[in-house]
């Protein structure tokens, strides 16, 4: 096995020729050398006892074994000027090849550019039985500082890292089928965590005080997977020349992509398939890094419907100079601490392979892969 010293992600070259003609062990050697991961990490990605039964037994209940998926590596990705090799765990053929090919095309135009908001998650605390939900809202907002301080009193690790509860919101549903309701949201910066356990614990802790303040009864106290304050945006700009095929000009291909996207924007039947194509890129990275793909899926589709009509998560346009410009925006509750990201040895190795140092960087690269996959499907 070829390995090298501590990785220096800035010198990783994700442009690897001839991967298709290698066998899995050769590919793993080449990827390990290119990314600088150590032999233990490379072995953890091999699939041979990657998840020991004893570890699996501690992860969920009634364990009888482990379940394997193929793990591939997408090549050619450049995101914000940095090269990435991207691990993808997925059962569907063509996904890894399509992502790699689109990343190659994008690379010629400078690759992908991304940005993200702070990693703010929401927890909801449902208050019923007050009769005056707007009064309850006003009372909770009047206690904002006290509630934030209380929420932050336990997780000193998180607050020490600059995270923690930053604000509260109170939403009112005055005409629900079970009577008026006030729903307090905790807005929590969860730093490098996915954050579900973190915010659930805070919401749980505040419940008795919320009942005292409102005179109501607290029912649900749990995170929202519609992480609309933890949003990643990726964009790509592809010169038309790079899109030319044997039978079509680059301008024709660009126009076709824009026209196909338009149907997804206006028609939920198409949008569902269009967004599935995006998730073909995102989910395999989420799975490979031990993240919660149900949370990512729930957040993505809820975000796609936030205007009241389910629509495309991406937009494709033709810029003034004729270049094809694609953008993708969605919530990304991904972590590099907590959950399976820490307990699954292959997930740990996958994070090392990517060379990401924080949850936001991981989320941004993952959304770039989603955009590449979307472009591949439309093309
Ligand atoms: P966690 O509680 O294991 O880890 C988070 C904690 O790690 C923080 O509260 C903090 O104390 C500590 N920490 C150490 N270093 C940190 C850093 N750099 N940044 C942030 N925190 C740091 O995990 P979690 O992320 O709160 O929860 C994730 C798990 O919750 C996943 O396994 C997910 O599947 C599960 N979950 C999901 C849902 C849902 O999506 N609806 C509901 C419940 C549980």
């Amino acid at each position: 096995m070829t390995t090298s010293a501590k990785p220096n992600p800035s010198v990783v070259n994700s442009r690897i020729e001839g991967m298709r003609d290698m066998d899995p062990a050769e590919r793993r050697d080449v990827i390990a050398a290119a990314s600088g991961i150590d032999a233990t990490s490379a072995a953890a990605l091999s699939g041979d006892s990657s998840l020991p039964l004893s570890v699996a037994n501690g992860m969920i209940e009634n364990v009888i074994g482990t379940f394997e998926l193929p793990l591939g590596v997408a090549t050619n990705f450049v995101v914000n000027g940095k090269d990435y090799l991207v691990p993808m765990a997925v059962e569907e053929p063509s996904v890894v090849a399509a992502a790699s090919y689109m990343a190659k095309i994008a690379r010629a135009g400078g690759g992908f550019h991304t940005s993200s908001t702070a990693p703010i998650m929401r927890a909801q605390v449902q208050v019923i039985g007050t009769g005056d939900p707007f009064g309850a809202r006003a009372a909770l907002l009047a206690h904002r500082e006290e509630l934030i301080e209380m929420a932050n009193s336990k997780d000193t690790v998180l607050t020490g890292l600059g995270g923690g509860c930053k604000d509260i919101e109170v939403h009112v549903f005055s005409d629900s089928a079970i009577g008026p309701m006030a729903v307090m949201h905790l807005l929590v910066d969860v730093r490098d965590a996915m954050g579900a356990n973190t915010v659930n614990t805070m919401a749980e802790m505040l419940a008795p005080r919320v009942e005292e303040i409102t005179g109501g009864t607290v029912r649900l106290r749990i995170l929202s997977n519609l992480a609309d304050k933890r949003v990643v945006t990726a964009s790509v700009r592809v010169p038309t020349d790079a899109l030319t095929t044997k039978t079509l000009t680059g301008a024709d291909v660009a126009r076709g992509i824009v026209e196909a996207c338009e149907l997804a924007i206006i028609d939920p039947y198409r949008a569902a398939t269009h967004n599935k194509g995006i998730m073909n890129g995102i989910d395999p990275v989420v799975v490979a890094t031990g993240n919660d793909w149900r949370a990512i899926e729930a957040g993505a589709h809820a975000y796609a419907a936030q205007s009241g009509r389910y629509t495309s998560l991406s937009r494709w346009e033709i810029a003034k100079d004729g270049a094809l410009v694609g953008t993708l925006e969605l919530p990304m509750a991904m972590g590099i601490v907590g959950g399976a990201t820490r307990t699954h040895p292959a997930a740990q190795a996958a994070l090392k392979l990517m060379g990401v140092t924080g949850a936001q960087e991981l989320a941004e690269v993952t959304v770039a892969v989603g955009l590449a996959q979307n472009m591949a499907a439309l093309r």
Side-chain angles (χ1 to χ4, degrees):
M1 178 121 355
T2 314
T3 55
S4 65
K6 193 171 163 39
N8 178 354
S10 62
V11 297
V12 166
N13 183 358
S14 65
R15 185 84 196 86
I16 296 175
E17 301 284 353
M19 285 265 282
R20 202 190 334 194
D21 303 322
M22 300 174 195
D23 66 32
E26 286 171 332
R27 289 189 195 113
R28 209 164 50 245
D29 282 354
V30 168
I31 292 292
S35 63
I37 58 170
D38 58 28
T40 309
S41 297
L45 296 170
S46 70
D48 299 333
S49 307
S50 289
L51 179 58
L53 202 55
S54 56
V55 176
N57 195 35
M59 290 171 72
I60 63 165
E61 308 74 38
N62 297 352
V63 168
I64 59 166
T66 57
F67 183 91
E68 293 175 15
L69 283 174
L71 178 70
V73 173
T75 53
N76 302 324
F77 273 88
V78 174
V79 183
N80 300 330
K82 177 174 163 183
D83 271 59
Y84 291 92
L85 290 162
V86 185
M88 300 180 80
V90 65
E91 86 297 345
E92 189 174 337
S94 304
V95 166
V96 178
S100 302
Y101 185 57
M102 287 308 136
K104 187 174 166 190
I105 290 179
R107 193 181 178 92
F112 298 86
H113 295 276
T114 59
S115 63
S116 53
T117 63
I120 304 282
M121 295 295 284
R122 290 176 185 271
Q124 296 184 292
V125 180
Q126 178 196 26
V127 187
I128 62 170
T130 64
D132 63 338
F134 286 100
R137 177 176 186 273
L140 288 168
L141 291 177
H143 288 81
R144 172 186 262 131
E145 296 308 326
E146 177 201 331
L147 290 163
I148 292 172
E149 201 175 310
M150 196 173 169
N152 286 333
S153 61
K154 289 271 168 16
D155 200 337
T156 49
V157 174
L158 186 64
T159 51
L161 292 165
C165 184
K166 300 296 178 189
D167 205 354
I168 62 168
E169 288 176 1
V170 186
H171 300 208
V172 170
F173 300 93
S174 37
D175 57 357
S176 92
I178 58 156
M181 239 190 266
V183 182
M184 183 174 80
H185 289 202
L186 301 177
L187 305 183
V188 184
D189 184 327
V190 296
R191 299 283 86 199
D192 287 317
M194 181 269 179
N197 291 327
T198 308
V199 304
N200 286 349
T201 306
M202 285 184 185
E204 199 68 63
M205 187 173 55
L206 294 193
R209 184 67 186 123
V210 168
E211 289 189 338
E212 280 170 14
I213 292 170
T214 61
T217 303
V218 167
R219 294 285 194 221
L220 294 178
R221 51 211 82 172
I222 191 163
L223 98 157
S224 167
N225 285 112
L226 177 48
D228 62 352
K229 289 201 170 282
R230 192 180 190 177
V231 170
V232 174
T233 306
S235 67
V236 66
R237 185 182 180 85
V238 189
T240 39
D241 290 355
L243 293 168
T244 306
T245 68
K246 279 185 190 139
T247 51
L248 293 168
T249 66
D252 284 339
V253 174
R255 199 174 322 107
I257 287 176
V258 170
E259 287 167 2
C261 185
E262 184 60 21
L263 182 58
I265 292 168
I266 61 173
D267 178 4
Y269 286 98
R270 175 59 207 162
T273 314
H274 179 97
N275 290 342
K276 191 272 180 185
I278 291 169
M279 302 317 283
N280 269 350
I282 290 176
D283 286 344
V285 189
V286 174
V287 173
T289 56
N291 273 281
D292 184 337
W293 72 91
R294 289 87 54 212
I296 298 294
E297 283 280 340
H301 297 293
Y303 196 68
Q306 228 184 357
S307 69
R309 187 183 69 192
Y310 185 83
T311 187
S312 169
L313 287 164
S314 68
R315 292 291 185 274
W316 289 92
E317 305 162 304
I318 294 172
K320 273 190 194 160
D321 64 358
L324 177 69
V325 176
T327 49
L328 172 61
E329 183 182 293
L330 74 159
M332 285 300 283
M334 284 180 93
I336 61 164
V337 299
T341 63
R342 276 289 156 97
T343 50
H344 197 306
Q348 274 289 295
L351 287 169
K352 281 189 193 151
L353 168 62
M354 285 181 86
V356 291
T357 53
Q360 273 177 270
E361 185 183 4
L362 171 63
E364 291 186 23
V365 175
T366 306
V367 173
V369 181
L371 186 57
Q373 204 71 44
N374 183 220
M375 183 172 148
L378 294 174
R379 186 171 172 274

